[in-house]
């Protein structure tokens, strides 16, 4: 079956871009997402070591395209702490350079957490940071991710993302990454009312901003604000737990008009350190089961 979306998963960059592409091919993917190093820290190997040319050659031969880069979690553009904020801005700048060098057009970014301040404060701070890093020649879209609303995370509503975008001067460079686990956890009814949710997205943010989907199940009920991913359609026999969104709802999202020509990335759990279900999940969601 030929689908009009591209689907893949998060893969490891430890073997360079060529290693990432090989891993994606082993899942039969069309695309993939990488962190440029460990998501929790800022240690990064130099661009020359990432085997980018070899990676692109392999990608071409295996019909892989549209690499997505995920910025590390430690970037908190909403922070009021000067050192945290400066690190976030400078690291994001370098991450844009790395993403450009890798040949990717999309950086997914968690907007930030306002900690001891207010959402309004955080929103302004994030927009200021984006205004510092974005240049007219910036190539990748910065895709703000819809968040679950854990703690003081900003981006738990479409309104919050729209408020950030509104304050960015070069907002043509801003995209959105729609995470199914996060929107469900933050309270949107993507199980029964996905079309309404997307109409709301369109009226508040605009569908033209939508670039990437993170396709995940959730271990929790709608509105739980937890952010714990489940395997797609997992039942009680899955060691990582049951998916409360369910296969049918996710399949419906993936095959909806909203996912047409979009990049879909799985961030579902690994069963153990050697086993994931990416290949099976990709095949199931394509309708190859
Ligand atoms: Fe994310
Ligand atoms: Fe995500
Ligand atoms: Zn998540």
């Amino acid at each position: 079956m030929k689908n009009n979306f591209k689907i893949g998963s998060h893969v490891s960059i430890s073997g360079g871009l060529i290693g990432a592409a090989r891993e994606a091919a082993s899942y039969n993917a069309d695309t993939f997402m990488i962190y440029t190093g460990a998501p929790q820290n800022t240690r990064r190997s130099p661009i020359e070591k990432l085997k980018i040319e070899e990676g692109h050659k392999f990608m071409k031969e295996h019909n892989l395209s549209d690499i997505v880069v995920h910025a590390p979690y430690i970037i908190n553009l909403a922070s009021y702490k000067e050192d945290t904020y400066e690190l976030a801005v400078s690291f994001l700048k370098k991450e844009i350079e790395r993403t450009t060098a890798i040949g990717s057009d999309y950086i997914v970014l968690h907007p930030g957490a306002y900690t001891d301040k207010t959402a309004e404060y955080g929103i302004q701070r994030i927009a200021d940071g984006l205004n510092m890093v974005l240049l007219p020649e910036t190539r990748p879209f910065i895709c703000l991710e819809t968040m679950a609303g854990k703690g003081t995370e900003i981006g738990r509503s479409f309104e919050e993302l729209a408020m950030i975008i509104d304050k960015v001067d070069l907002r043509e460079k801003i995209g959105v990454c729609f995470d199914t686990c996060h929107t469900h956890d933050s309270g949107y009814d993507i199980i029964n009312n996905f079309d309404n949710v997307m109409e709301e997205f369109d009226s508040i943010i605009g569908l033209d901003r939508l670039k990437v989907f993170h396709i995940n199940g959730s271990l929790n009920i709608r509105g739980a604000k937890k952010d714990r991913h489940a395997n797609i359609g997992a039942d009680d026999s899955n060691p990582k737990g049951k998916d409360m969104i369910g296969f049918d709802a996710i399949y419906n999202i993936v095959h909806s008009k909203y996912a047409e020509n979009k990049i879909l990335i799985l961030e579902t759990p690994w069963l153990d350190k050697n086993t994931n279900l990416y290949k099976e999940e990709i095949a199931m969601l394509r309708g190859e089961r």
Side-chain angles (χ1 to χ4, degrees), residues 105-106 130-131 134-143 164-176 208-211:
D105 291 325
Y106 310 96
L130 292 170
N131 282 329
L134 289 171
L135 301 168
E137 62 269 26
T138 300
R139 173 176 159 178
F141 289 102
I142 310 289
C143 299
I164 298 168
I165 296 166
D166 250 15
K167 296 178 193 294
V168 174
D169 299 324
L170 293 167
R171 60 183 83 99
E172 65 273 19
K173 314 279 183 195
I174 305 287
V176 170
D208 52 327
R209 299 261 177 226
L210 182 57
K211 308 292 178 198

Side-chain angles (χ1 to χ4, degrees), residues 194-213:
F194 180 66
D195 282 8
N196 295 347
V197 171
M198 294 318 284
E199 279 160 27
E200 196 178 328
F201 183 102
D202 191 29
S203 71
I204 297 167
I205 297 175
L207 283 171
D208 52 327
R209 299 261 177 226
L210 182 57
K211 308 292 178 198
V212 178
F213 278 90

Side-chain angles (χ1 to χ4, degrees), residues 56-70:
H56 278 280
K57 183 165 174 281
F58 183 92
M59 284 174 64
K60 220 178 207 153
E61 290 161 2
H62 293 82
N63 285 316
L64 288 159
S65 65
D66 297 272
I67 307 166
V68 177
V69 169
H70 199 310

Side-chain angles (χ1 to χ4, degrees), residues 207-266:
L207 283 171
D208 52 327
R209 299 261 177 226
L210 182 57
K211 308 292 178 198
V212 178
F213 278 90
H214 281 169
I215 301 295
N216 302 309
S218 172
L219 292 181
N220 293 288
I221 55 164
R222 176 162 71 90
K225 303 195 177 348
K226 294 273 201 219
D227 190 6
R228 293 191 60 218
H229 301 187
N231 288 109
I232 308 300
D235 59 23
D236 290 318
S237 69
N238 182 304
K240 296 288 161 150
K242 182 176 155 56
D243 173 19
M244 303 302 277
I245 299 176
F247 180 79
D248 291 344
I250 299 277
Y251 187 90
N252 171 47
I253 291 169
V254 165
H255 290 270
S256 73
K257 63 180 181 193
Y258 300 103
E260 255 173 52
N261 303 315
K262 297 294 187 292
I263 305 163
L264 316 185
I265 302 289
L266 292 158

Side-chain angles (χ1 to χ4, degrees), residues 36-75:
T36 61
Q40 312 84 351
N41 67 45
T42 54
R43 260 177 286 123
R44 292 298 179 264
S45 51
I47 284 168
E48 308 77 63
K49 284 205 172 152
L50 292 178
K51 299 187 186 138
I52 293 173
E53 259 174 59
E54 283 170 80
H56 278 280
K57 183 165 174 281
F58 183 92
M59 284 174 64
K60 220 178 207 153
E61 290 161 2
H62 293 82
N63 285 316
L64 288 159
S65 65
D66 297 272
I67 307 166
V68 177
V69 169
H70 199 310
Y73 314 137
I74 44 113
I75 293 185

